[in-house]
Amino acid sequence: MEKFNGVSFVASREKVAQEHIDAVRNVNAKCAAVMPFGFIRNADSPEIIFDTSRQWFGETRTGARQYIDILHQNGLKVMLKPQIWISRGAFTGNLKMKSEENWKALEASYDKFILAYATLAQETNADAFCIGTELEQFVSHRPGYWSELIQKIRSVYKGKLTYAANWDEYGRTPFWEDLDFIGIDAYFPLSDEKTPTVEQLRKGWQPHERENKIFVQGQE
């Protein structure tokens, strides 16, 4: 299996310049994740606010396009990875509505958000597209919605799809076989030590590595 060295290309207030791309190439990265953002006021709110004049340039659709274009011009592959930010940094995995009405409103809002960027991914020939990041409660409570969403995304974007599951979520994500890649945000706990040694970290990683390999093989 080919290994890609990549970076998360974090959104900025300004346009990206060549010097920023040179810094990526200098660490031998071959690909980058471009991450525009949508915002939610609190974990009970169904409205996703995105692509507004109040956001930083890199958080918007126009900014993401500029980032993708200059990365591609420099020969780097790009994954477009729209993400949600909940006010005060609340964990997105806990996003859960309290009524059917609000679930429907969230689904409609997420459709607009993610399809706006799926269209951009197609327009810019992005190499991959991430349909969501660490949304465990949303996924577990509304699996039918996500299956339908994947079909909608594929109708506008013809590249490869993944989902970024949190490290303690991926084993319960129901739609892996509908995607092209299994995405795991692998922040597994490796040690209880305040300053563990490299060897302790390697030892702590081994059971997670074995479990991941078994899981991936089971999905193939």
PDB file of all heavy atoms in Angstrom, residues 8 35 79 81 83 91-92 130 132-135 162-170 176 182-189 205 212:
ATOM      1  N   SER A   8      -1.904  18.917   7.552  1.00  0.00           N
ATOM      2  CA  SER A   8      -3.145  19.671   7.629  1.00  0.00           C
ATOM      3  C   SER A   8      -2.816  21.128   7.326  1.00  0.00           C
ATOM      4  O   SER A   8      -2.014  21.751   8.028  1.00  0.00           O
ATOM      5  CB  SER A   8      -3.756  19.547   9.034  1.00  0.00           C
ATOM      6  OG  SER A   8      -4.244  18.240   9.263  1.00  0.00           O
ATOM      7  N   MET A  35      -8.974  22.816   4.922  1.00  0.00           N
ATOM      8  CA  MET A  35     -10.068  22.688   5.886  1.00  0.00           C
ATOM      9  C   MET A  35     -10.871  23.974   6.051  1.00  0.00           C
ATOM     10  O   MET A  35     -10.626  24.762   6.968  1.00  0.00           O
ATOM     11  CB  MET A  35      -9.498  22.229   7.227  1.00  0.00           C
ATOM     12  CG  MET A  35      -8.809  20.873   7.132  1.00  0.00           C
ATOM     13  SD  MET A  35      -8.052  20.345   8.673  1.00  0.00           S
ATOM     14  CE  MET A  35      -6.734  21.555   8.816  1.00  0.00           C
ATOM     15  N   MET A  79      -6.753  16.894  -0.193  1.00  0.00           N
ATOM     16  CA  MET A  79      -8.028  16.420   0.316  1.00  0.00           C
ATOM     17  C   MET A  79      -8.776  17.633   0.866  1.00  0.00           C
ATOM     18  O   MET A  79      -8.262  18.346   1.722  1.00  0.00           O
ATOM     19  CB  MET A  79      -7.866  15.391   1.436  1.00  0.00           C
ATOM     20  CG  MET A  79      -9.225  14.947   2.011  1.00  0.00           C
ATOM     21  SD  MET A  79      -9.132  13.588   3.192  1.00  0.00           S
ATOM     22  CE  MET A  79      -8.359  14.405   4.602  1.00  0.00           C
ATOM     23  N   LYS A  81     -11.472  19.008   3.220  1.00  0.00           N
ATOM     24  CA  LYS A  81     -11.976  18.454   4.474  1.00  0.00           C
ATOM     25  C   LYS A  81     -12.765  19.511   5.245  1.00  0.00           C
ATOM     26  O   LYS A  81     -12.297  20.062   6.240  1.00  0.00           O
ATOM     27  CB  LYS A  81     -10.793  17.940   5.300  1.00  0.00           C
ATOM     28  CG  LYS A  81     -11.130  17.146   6.551  1.00  0.00           C
ATOM     29  CD  LYS A  81      -9.824  16.565   7.128  1.00  0.00           C
ATOM     30  CE  LYS A  81     -10.084  15.717   8.356  1.00  0.00           C
ATOM     31  NZ  LYS A  81     -10.229  16.533   9.578  1.00  0.00           N
ATOM     32  N   GLN A  83     -14.961  21.216   7.924  1.00  0.00           N
ATOM     33  CA  GLN A  83     -15.147  20.855   9.321  1.00  0.00           C
ATOM     34  C   GLN A  83     -16.102  21.814  10.022  1.00  0.00           C
ATOM     35  O   GLN A  83     -16.292  22.949   9.592  1.00  0.00           O
ATOM     36  CB  GLN A  83     -13.800  20.830  10.058  1.00  0.00           C
ATOM     37  CG  GLN A  83     -12.878  19.731   9.570  1.00  0.00           C
ATOM     38  CD  GLN A  83     -11.647  19.568  10.439  1.00  0.00           C
ATOM     39  OE1 GLN A  83     -10.647  19.003  10.009  1.00  0.00           O
ATOM     40  NE2 GLN A  83     -11.693  20.038  11.669  1.00  0.00           N
ATOM     41  N   PHE A  91     -16.812  19.642  21.760  1.00  0.00           N
ATOM     42  CA  PHE A  91     -16.466  18.491  20.933  1.00  0.00           C
ATOM     43  C   PHE A  91     -17.591  18.177  19.953  1.00  0.00           C
ATOM     44  O   PHE A  91     -18.748  17.982  20.344  1.00  0.00           O
ATOM     45  CB  PHE A  91     -16.181  17.281  21.824  1.00  0.00           C
ATOM     46  CG  PHE A  91     -15.850  16.027  21.067  1.00  0.00           C
ATOM     47  CD1 PHE A  91     -14.983  16.049  19.987  1.00  0.00           C
ATOM     48  CD2 PHE A  91     -16.412  14.805  21.448  1.00  0.00           C
ATOM     49  CE1 PHE A  91     -14.678  14.891  19.291  1.00  0.00           C
ATOM     50  CE2 PHE A  91     -16.105  13.648  20.762  1.00  0.00           C
ATOM     51  CZ  PHE A  91     -15.236  13.693  19.684  1.00  0.00           C
ATOM     52  N   THR A  92     -17.248  18.103  18.667  1.00  0.00           N
ATOM     53  CA  THR A  92     -18.248  17.847  17.629  1.00  0.00           C
ATOM     54  C   THR A  92     -18.897  16.473  17.755  1.00  0.00           C
ATOM     55  O   THR A  92     -20.021  16.267  17.303  1.00  0.00           O
ATOM     56  CB  THR A  92     -17.632  17.979  16.233  1.00  0.00           C
ATOM     57  OG1 THR A  92     -16.466  17.145  16.157  1.00  0.00           O
ATOM     58  CG2 THR A  92     -17.248  19.421  15.939  1.00  0.00           C
ATOM     59  N   CYS A 130     -13.487  14.673   2.265  1.00  0.00           N
ATOM     60  CA  CYS A 130     -13.893  14.121   3.557  1.00  0.00           C
ATOM     61  C   CYS A 130     -15.308  14.597   3.871  1.00  0.00           C
ATOM     62  O   CYS A 130     -15.566  15.794   3.942  1.00  0.00           O
ATOM     63  CB  CYS A 130     -12.919  14.571   4.644  1.00  0.00           C
ATOM     64  SG  CYS A 130     -13.249  13.836   6.261  1.00  0.00           S
ATOM     65  N   GLY A 132     -17.113  14.340   6.590  1.00  0.00           N
ATOM     66  CA  GLY A 132     -17.397  14.771   7.953  1.00  0.00           C
ATOM     67  C   GLY A 132     -16.237  14.429   8.864  1.00  0.00           C
ATOM     68  O   GLY A 132     -15.415  13.573   8.540  1.00  0.00           O
ATOM     69  N   THR A 133     -16.186  15.091  10.007  1.00  0.00           N
ATOM     70  CA  THR A 133     -15.090  14.880  10.952  1.00  0.00           C
ATOM     71  C   THR A 133     -15.614  14.745  12.377  1.00  0.00           C
ATOM     72  O   THR A 133     -16.242  15.670  12.906  1.00  0.00           O
ATOM     73  CB  THR A 133     -14.089  16.067  10.899  1.00  0.00           C
ATOM     74  OG1 THR A 133     -13.529  16.150   9.582  1.00  0.00           O
ATOM     75  CG2 THR A 133     -12.958  15.871  11.906  1.00  0.00           C
ATOM     76  N   GLU A 134     -15.411  13.572  12.965  1.00  0.00           N
ATOM     77  CA  GLU A 134     -15.699  13.324  14.389  1.00  0.00           C
ATOM     78  C   GLU A 134     -17.119  13.753  14.763  1.00  0.00           C
ATOM     79  O   GLU A 134     -17.310  14.597  15.635  1.00  0.00           O
ATOM     80  CB  GLU A 134     -14.649  14.021  15.255  1.00  0.00           C
ATOM     81  CG  GLU A 134     -13.238  13.490  15.000  1.00  0.00           C
ATOM     82  CD  GLU A 134     -12.161  14.240  15.767  1.00  0.00           C
ATOM     83  OE1 GLU A 134     -12.505  15.111  16.586  1.00  0.00           O
ATOM     84  OE2 GLU A 134     -10.965  13.949  15.549  1.00  0.00           O
ATOM     85  N   LEU A 135     -18.104  13.129  14.129  1.00  0.00           N
ATOM     86  CA  LEU A 135     -19.509  13.459  14.359  1.00  0.00           C
ATOM     87  C   LEU A 135     -20.271  12.231  14.863  1.00  0.00           C
ATOM     88  O   LEU A 135     -21.324  11.863  14.338  1.00  0.00           O
ATOM     89  CB  LEU A 135     -20.142  13.994  13.062  1.00  0.00           C
ATOM     90  CG  LEU A 135     -19.574  15.330  12.559  1.00  0.00           C
ATOM     91  CD1 LEU A 135     -20.040  15.615  11.145  1.00  0.00           C
ATOM     92  CD2 LEU A 135     -19.966  16.472  13.500  1.00  0.00           C
ATOM     93  N   THR A 162     -13.888   9.860   1.987  1.00  0.00           N
ATOM     94  CA  THR A 162     -13.600   9.273   3.290  1.00  0.00           C
ATOM     95  C   THR A 162     -14.391  10.032   4.357  1.00  0.00           C
ATOM     96  O   THR A 162     -15.058  11.024   4.072  1.00  0.00           O
ATOM     97  CB  THR A 162     -12.094   9.311   3.602  1.00  0.00           C
ATOM     98  OG1 THR A 162     -11.834   8.545   4.796  1.00  0.00           O
ATOM     99  CG2 THR A 162     -11.593  10.735   3.804  1.00  0.00           C
ATOM    100  N   TYR A 163     -14.318   9.526   5.569  1.00  0.00           N
ATOM    101  CA  TYR A 163     -14.891  10.181   6.745  1.00  0.00           C
ATOM    102  C   TYR A 163     -13.830  10.113   7.830  1.00  0.00           C
ATOM    103  O   TYR A 163     -13.145   9.092   7.981  1.00  0.00           O
ATOM    104  CB  TYR A 163     -16.172   9.462   7.185  1.00  0.00           C
ATOM    105  CG  TYR A 163     -16.676   9.862   8.566  1.00  0.00           C
ATOM    106  CD1 TYR A 163     -17.325  11.077   8.762  1.00  0.00           C
ATOM    107  CD2 TYR A 163     -16.494   9.022   9.670  1.00  0.00           C
ATOM    108  CE1 TYR A 163     -17.787  11.450  10.022  1.00  0.00           C
ATOM    109  CE2 TYR A 163     -16.954   9.385  10.931  1.00  0.00           C
ATOM    110  CZ  TYR A 163     -17.597  10.602  11.103  1.00  0.00           C
ATOM    111  OH  TYR A 163     -18.040  10.967  12.349  1.00  0.00           O
ATOM    112  N   ALA A 164     -13.661  11.179   8.607  1.00  0.00           N
ATOM    113  CA  ALA A 164     -12.643  11.220   9.659  1.00  0.00           C
ATOM    114  C   ALA A 164     -13.284  10.852  10.997  1.00  0.00           C
ATOM    115  O   ALA A 164     -13.852  11.703  11.677  1.00  0.00           O
ATOM    116  CB  ALA A 164     -12.003  12.605   9.729  1.00  0.00           C
ATOM    117  N   ALA A 165     -13.197   9.578  11.367  1.00  0.00           N
ATOM    118  CA  ALA A 165     -13.773   9.096  12.622  1.00  0.00           C
ATOM    119  C   ALA A 165     -12.791   9.306  13.765  1.00  0.00           C
ATOM    120  O   ALA A 165     -11.574   9.132  13.600  1.00  0.00           O
ATOM    121  CB  ALA A 165     -14.107   7.609  12.517  1.00  0.00           C
ATOM    122  N   ASN A 166     -13.307   9.690  14.922  1.00  0.00           N
ATOM    123  CA  ASN A 166     -12.451   9.812  16.094  1.00  0.00           C
ATOM    124  C   ASN A 166     -11.886   8.441  16.468  1.00  0.00           C
ATOM    125  O   ASN A 166     -12.444   7.395  16.127  1.00  0.00           O
ATOM    126  CB  ASN A 166     -13.256  10.394  17.261  1.00  0.00           C
ATOM    127  CG  ASN A 166     -12.369  10.957  18.347  1.00  0.00           C
ATOM    128  OD1 ASN A 166     -11.315  11.536  18.053  1.00  0.00           O
ATOM    129  ND2 ASN A 166     -12.755  10.805  19.596  1.00  0.00           N
ATOM    130  N   TRP A 167     -10.808   8.437  17.223  1.00  0.00           N
ATOM    131  CA  TRP A 167     -10.106   7.189  17.533  1.00  0.00           C
ATOM    132  C   TRP A 167     -10.969   6.185  18.299  1.00  0.00           C
ATOM    133  O   TRP A 167     -10.767   4.973  18.203  1.00  0.00           O
ATOM    134  CB  TRP A 167      -8.823   7.480  18.322  1.00  0.00           C
ATOM    135  CG  TRP A 167      -9.069   8.098  19.676  1.00  0.00           C
ATOM    136  CD1 TRP A 167      -9.181   9.414  19.963  1.00  0.00           C
ATOM    137  CD2 TRP A 167      -9.251   7.414  20.919  1.00  0.00           C
ATOM    138  NE1 TRP A 167      -9.419   9.608  21.297  1.00  0.00           N
ATOM    139  CE2 TRP A 167      -9.462   8.398  21.920  1.00  0.00           C
ATOM    140  CE3 TRP A 167      -9.245   6.070  21.300  1.00  0.00           C
ATOM    141  CZ2 TRP A 167      -9.670   8.071  23.259  1.00  0.00           C
ATOM    142  CZ3 TRP A 167      -9.457   5.742  22.636  1.00  0.00           C
ATOM    143  CH2 TRP A 167      -9.670   6.735  23.598  1.00  0.00           C
ATOM    144  N   ASP A 168     -11.956   6.667  19.063  1.00  0.00           N
ATOM    145  CA  ASP A 168     -12.818   5.755  19.810  1.00  0.00           C
ATOM    146  C   ASP A 168     -14.185   5.573  19.143  1.00  0.00           C
ATOM    147  O   ASP A 168     -15.105   5.015  19.748  1.00  0.00           O
ATOM    148  CB  ASP A 168     -13.017   6.271  21.241  1.00  0.00           C
ATOM    149  CG  ASP A 168     -13.623   7.671  21.301  1.00  0.00           C
ATOM    150  OD1 ASP A 168     -13.783   8.306  20.231  1.00  0.00           O
ATOM    151  OD2 ASP A 168     -13.931   8.132  22.411  1.00  0.00           O
ATOM    152  N   GLU A 169     -14.300   6.004  17.882  1.00  0.00           N
ATOM    153  CA  GLU A 169     -15.572   5.977  17.159  1.00  0.00           C
ATOM    154  C   GLU A 169     -15.557   5.030  15.963  1.00  0.00           C
ATOM    155  O   GLU A 169     -16.593   4.449  15.602  1.00  0.00           O
ATOM    156  CB  GLU A 169     -15.874   7.406  16.677  1.00  0.00           C
ATOM    157  CG  GLU A 169     -17.006   7.552  15.679  1.00  0.00           C
ATOM    158  CD  GLU A 169     -17.011   8.910  14.987  1.00  0.00           C
ATOM    159  OE1 GLU A 169     -16.106   9.745  15.264  1.00  0.00           O
ATOM    160  OE2 GLU A 169     -17.905   9.129  14.165  1.00  0.00           O
ATOM    161  N   TYR A 170     -14.396   4.847  15.339  1.00  0.00           N
ATOM    162  CA  TYR A 170     -14.340   4.234  14.009  1.00  0.00           C
ATOM    163  C   TYR A 170     -14.922   2.827  13.941  1.00  0.00           C
ATOM    164  O   TYR A 170     -15.467   2.418  12.914  1.00  0.00           O
ATOM    165  CB  TYR A 170     -12.896   4.230  13.479  1.00  0.00           C
ATOM    166  CG  TYR A 170     -11.979   3.224  14.135  1.00  0.00           C
ATOM    167  CD1 TYR A 170     -11.793   1.963  13.589  1.00  0.00           C
ATOM    168  CD2 TYR A 170     -11.279   3.545  15.298  1.00  0.00           C
ATOM    169  CE1 TYR A 170     -10.938   1.049  14.174  1.00  0.00           C
ATOM    170  CE2 TYR A 170     -10.435   2.637  15.893  1.00  0.00           C
ATOM    171  CZ  TYR A 170     -10.268   1.393  15.336  1.00  0.00           C
ATOM    172  OH  TYR A 170      -9.431   0.477  15.927  1.00  0.00           O
ATOM    173  N   TRP A 176     -18.658   2.544   6.253  1.00  0.00           N
ATOM    174  CA  TRP A 176     -17.325   2.454   5.653  1.00  0.00           C
ATOM    175  C   TRP A 176     -17.356   1.840   4.263  1.00  0.00           C
ATOM    176  O   TRP A 176     -16.631   2.271   3.357  1.00  0.00           O
ATOM    177  CB  TRP A 176     -16.377   1.646   6.547  1.00  0.00           C
ATOM    178  CG  TRP A 176     -15.941   2.308   7.812  1.00  0.00           C
ATOM    179  CD1 TRP A 176     -15.981   1.778   9.065  1.00  0.00           C
ATOM    180  CD2 TRP A 176     -15.379   3.624   7.972  1.00  0.00           C
ATOM    181  NE1 TRP A 176     -15.488   2.663   9.995  1.00  0.00           N
ATOM    182  CE2 TRP A 176     -15.110   3.812   9.357  1.00  0.00           C
ATOM    183  CE3 TRP A 176     -15.091   4.656   7.089  1.00  0.00           C
ATOM    184  CZ2 TRP A 176     -14.559   4.991   9.856  1.00  0.00           C
ATOM    185  CZ3 TRP A 176     -14.537   5.837   7.591  1.00  0.00           C
ATOM    186  CH2 TRP A 176     -14.279   5.989   8.962  1.00  0.00           C
ATOM    187  N   ILE A 182     -11.082   4.294   4.754  1.00  0.00           N
ATOM    188  CA  ILE A 182     -11.411   4.380   6.174  1.00  0.00           C
ATOM    189  C   ILE A 182     -10.532   5.465   6.779  1.00  0.00           C
ATOM    190  O   ILE A 182      -9.307   5.424   6.663  1.00  0.00           O
ATOM    191  CB  ILE A 182     -11.160   3.037   6.880  1.00  0.00           C
ATOM    192  CG1 ILE A 182     -12.118   1.973   6.347  1.00  0.00           C
ATOM    193  CG2 ILE A 182     -11.314   3.178   8.394  1.00  0.00           C
ATOM    194  CD1 ILE A 182     -11.782   0.566   6.821  1.00  0.00           C
ATOM    195  N   GLY A 183     -11.157   6.451   7.401  1.00  0.00           N
ATOM    196  CA  GLY A 183     -10.397   7.544   8.003  1.00  0.00           C
ATOM    197  C   GLY A 183     -10.457   7.470   9.520  1.00  0.00           C
ATOM    198  O   GLY A 183     -11.539   7.447  10.096  1.00  0.00           O
ATOM    199  N   ILE A 184      -9.302   7.432  10.163  1.00  0.00           N
ATOM    200  CA  ILE A 184      -9.238   7.354  11.630  1.00  0.00           C
ATOM    201  C   ILE A 184      -8.357   8.492  12.146  1.00  0.00           C
ATOM    202  O   ILE A 184      -7.194   8.600  11.766  1.00  0.00           O
ATOM    203  CB  ILE A 184      -8.667   6.004  12.109  1.00  0.00           C
ATOM    204  CG1 ILE A 184      -9.488   4.838  11.558  1.00  0.00           C
ATOM    205  CG2 ILE A 184      -8.626   5.956  13.636  1.00  0.00           C
ATOM    206  CD1 ILE A 184      -8.884   3.472  11.851  1.00  0.00           C
ATOM    207  N   ASP A 185      -8.915   9.324  12.993  1.00  0.00           N
ATOM    208  CA  ASP A 185      -8.116  10.334  13.685  1.00  0.00           C
ATOM    209  C   ASP A 185      -7.459   9.625  14.874  1.00  0.00           C
ATOM    210  O   ASP A 185      -8.063   9.472  15.936  1.00  0.00           O
ATOM    211  CB  ASP A 185      -9.004  11.493  14.141  1.00  0.00           C
ATOM    212  CG  ASP A 185      -9.499  12.317  12.957  1.00  0.00           C
ATOM    213  OD1 ASP A 185      -9.015  12.103  11.837  1.00  0.00           O
ATOM    214  OD2 ASP A 185     -10.369  13.176  13.155  1.00  0.00           O
ATOM    215  N   ALA A 186      -6.234   9.209  14.663  1.00  0.00           N
ATOM    216  CA  ALA A 186      -5.611   8.209  15.532  1.00  0.00           C
ATOM    217  C   ALA A 186      -4.921   8.809  16.759  1.00  0.00           C
ATOM    218  O   ALA A 186      -3.733   8.564  17.010  1.00  0.00           O
ATOM    219  CB  ALA A 186      -4.624   7.364  14.724  1.00  0.00           C
ATOM    220  N   TYR A 187      -5.682   9.546  17.554  1.00  0.00           N
ATOM    221  CA  TYR A 187      -5.136  10.122  18.786  1.00  0.00           C
ATOM    222  C   TYR A 187      -5.304   9.140  19.946  1.00  0.00           C
ATOM    223  O   TYR A 187      -5.821   9.482  21.019  1.00  0.00           O
ATOM    224  CB  TYR A 187      -5.826  11.443  19.112  1.00  0.00           C
ATOM    225  CG  TYR A 187      -5.754  12.457  17.993  1.00  0.00           C
ATOM    226  CD1 TYR A 187      -6.903  12.903  17.351  1.00  0.00           C
ATOM    227  CD2 TYR A 187      -4.522  12.972  17.587  1.00  0.00           C
ATOM    228  CE1 TYR A 187      -6.840  13.830  16.329  1.00  0.00           C
ATOM    229  CE2 TYR A 187      -4.452  13.901  16.561  1.00  0.00           C
ATOM    230  CZ  TYR A 187      -5.605  14.327  15.934  1.00  0.00           C
ATOM    231  OH  TYR A 187      -5.548  15.251  14.920  1.00  0.00           O
ATOM    232  N   PHE A 188      -4.856   7.916  19.746  1.00  0.00           N
ATOM    233  CA  PHE A 188      -5.009   6.891  20.770  1.00  0.00           C
ATOM    234  C   PHE A 188      -4.160   7.217  21.993  1.00  0.00           C
ATOM    235  O   PHE A 188      -3.019   7.687  21.861  1.00  0.00           O
ATOM    236  CB  PHE A 188      -4.579   5.520  20.212  1.00  0.00           C
ATOM    237  CG  PHE A 188      -5.416   5.036  19.073  1.00  0.00           C
ATOM    238  CD1 PHE A 188      -5.005   5.210  17.761  1.00  0.00           C
ATOM    239  CD2 PHE A 188      -6.625   4.390  19.314  1.00  0.00           C
ATOM    240  CE1 PHE A 188      -5.773   4.761  16.701  1.00  0.00           C
ATOM    241  CE2 PHE A 188      -7.405   3.933  18.262  1.00  0.00           C
ATOM    242  CZ  PHE A 188      -6.982   4.124  16.954  1.00  0.00           C
ATOM    243  N   PRO A 189      -4.673   6.970  23.207  1.00  0.00           N
ATOM    244  CA  PRO A 189      -3.845   7.147  24.403  1.00  0.00           C
ATOM    245  C   PRO A 189      -2.730   6.105  24.424  1.00  0.00           C
ATOM    246  O   PRO A 189      -2.991   4.910  24.310  1.00  0.00           O
ATOM    247  CB  PRO A 189      -4.844   6.935  25.544  1.00  0.00           C
ATOM    248  CG  PRO A 189      -5.952   6.115  24.953  1.00  0.00           C
ATOM    249  CD  PRO A 189      -6.039   6.506  23.517  1.00  0.00           C
ATOM    250  N   TRP A 205       1.626   2.032  21.330  1.00  0.00           N
ATOM    251  CA  TRP A 205       0.993   2.066  20.017  1.00  0.00           C
ATOM    252  C   TRP A 205       0.704   0.672  19.466  1.00  0.00           C
ATOM    253  O   TRP A 205      -0.248   0.470  18.699  1.00  0.00           O
ATOM    254  CB  TRP A 205       1.872   2.836  19.047  1.00  0.00           C
ATOM    255  CG  TRP A 205       1.412   2.767  17.616  1.00  0.00           C
ATOM    256  CD1 TRP A 205       2.021   2.142  16.580  1.00  0.00           C
ATOM    257  CD2 TRP A 205       0.217   3.355  17.063  1.00  0.00           C
ATOM    258  NE1 TRP A 205       1.299   2.302  15.424  1.00  0.00           N
ATOM    259  CE2 TRP A 205       0.182   3.039  15.696  1.00  0.00           C
ATOM    260  CE3 TRP A 205      -0.821   4.112  17.615  1.00  0.00           C
ATOM    261  CZ2 TRP A 205      -0.844   3.455  14.854  1.00  0.00           C
ATOM    262  CZ3 TRP A 205      -1.854   4.523  16.784  1.00  0.00           C
ATOM    263  CH2 TRP A 205      -1.857   4.192  15.429  1.00  0.00           C
ATOM    264  N   ASN A 212      -6.146  -1.940  14.556  1.00  0.00           N
ATOM    265  CA  ASN A 212      -6.485  -1.229  13.325  1.00  0.00           C
ATOM    266  C   ASN A 212      -6.329  -2.126  12.104  1.00  0.00           C
ATOM    267  O   ASN A 212      -7.177  -2.126  11.203  1.00  0.00           O
ATOM    268  CB  ASN A 212      -5.605   0.013  13.166  1.00  0.00           C
ATOM    269  CG  ASN A 212      -5.897   1.079  14.185  1.00  0.00           C
ATOM    270  OD1 ASN A 212      -6.914   1.029  14.880  1.00  0.00           O
ATOM    271  ND2 ASN A 212      -5.009   2.045  14.321  1.00  0.00           N
TER     272      ASN A 212
END
